[in-house]
Amino acid sequence: MNWIQHYQLFLFDFDGLLVNTEILHFQAYQKMCEQRGFKITWSFEQYSGFAHHHANGLRDAIYAQFPALYQQEPEWNILYEEKKKAFMKLLQEGRVQLMPGVSDLLLALKEANINRCVVTHSAFQLIKTIREQNPILNSIPYWITREDYIHPKPDPQCYLTAIERYAEKEDKVIGFEDSPRGLNALLQTQAKAVLVCPPNSPYLNEVLAPELSYYPNFNTITENNHP
């Protein structure tokens, strides 16, 4: 894995990129709505389309689907706290798996002593629980969670914060995302932006461009095709 030596700082999104938690987030939103008497019937692909384009995409989609829910509780922060509790319960019920190729890449970065940082909108407590289930994640020395910045992706504040803290002036930086929202945040920084997501992702054709590096998963990055 010599290609990693081309960069001095690796930036990673978390959910859906390093760990397979997106389905749990979807289930948590379903449970939150069910507890209030509403049933989400979207497919996972539809959920992904709402979640991965805009910071408020899910809020707007859920309120549009259930106007009565908005009348019942117009404060989204309250609903989001209920979703977080449902997500934590799901985490505690079963092990969260790493995405393909993540373990090998993290081990290689650790052995090469290359700086790496997770940049996520997930809260620290959620991250802590997942790291306990997957110890290899503890090899990542730096973590930017939602407590560390104000404006969520696609605003670049979170990535700019990581670069300011952990990159030297001349460092080459590379960042990995699995969603359009995160990708747009990365593209507003000096980092080389890389998209890693399944080839059947509903938004893939919307974001692919000639200058963008894309891989179905980390196992498909090789010495011959690396970014």
Side-chain angles (χ1 to χ4, degrees), residues 93-162:
E93 290 174 355
R95 182 179 178 86
V96 176
Q97 300 294 321
L98 297 175
M99 299 295 282
V102 167
S103 182
D104 289 342
L105 177 56
L106 294 184
L107 284 173
L109 291 171
K110 179 183 178 181
E111 291 174 0
N113 196 29
I114 297 173
N115 264 0
R116 56 256 186 233
C117 176
V118 165
V119 182
T120 178
H121 194 55
S122 289
F124 175 79
Q125 189 57 43
L126 295 179
I127 296 293
K128 183 174 180 289
T129 300
I130 297 172
R131 288 171 66 176
E132 289 171 353
Q133 295 180 359
N134 295 277
I136 186 60
L137 294 172
N138 293 320
S139 69
I140 303 172
Y142 305 121
W143 294 75
I144 301 290
T145 62
R146 82 161 52 148
E147 294 86 355
D148 296 304
Y149 59 93
I150 298 172
H151 305 294
K153 303 170 187 176
D155 191 285
Q157 183 188 24
C158 53
Y159 280 117
L160 292 174
T161 299

Side-chain angles (χ1 to χ4, degrees), residues 26-95:
F26 179 38
Q27 292 170 358
Y29 278 109
Q30 289 178 311
K31 288 182 179 295
M32 178 271 287
C33 287
E34 286 173 6
Q35 289 166 1
R36 287 182 169 270
F38 302 91
K39 184 176 179 60
I40 291 179
T41 57
W42 306 329
S43 67
F44 179 71
E45 288 71 25
Q46 288 174 301
Y47 159 81
S48 297
F50 295 134
H52 291 160
H53 279 85
H54 306 288
N56 296 322
L58 273 174
R59 181 199 67 185
D60 295 345
I62 287 174
Y63 277 150
Q65 181 78 25
F66 307 118
L69 177 59
Y70 180 80
Q71 296 297 322
Q72 184 185 113
E73 181 50 76
E75 292 294 328
W76 177 252
N77 287 341
I78 293 175
L79 296 180
Y80 192 74
E81 285 300 315
E82 294 174 8
K83 177 263 177 182
K84 281 171 56 179
K85 290 179 181 178
F87 183 72
M88 282 297 297
K89 188 172 187 297
L90 289 169
L91 283 185
Q92 293 160 359
E93 290 174 355
R95 182 179 178 86

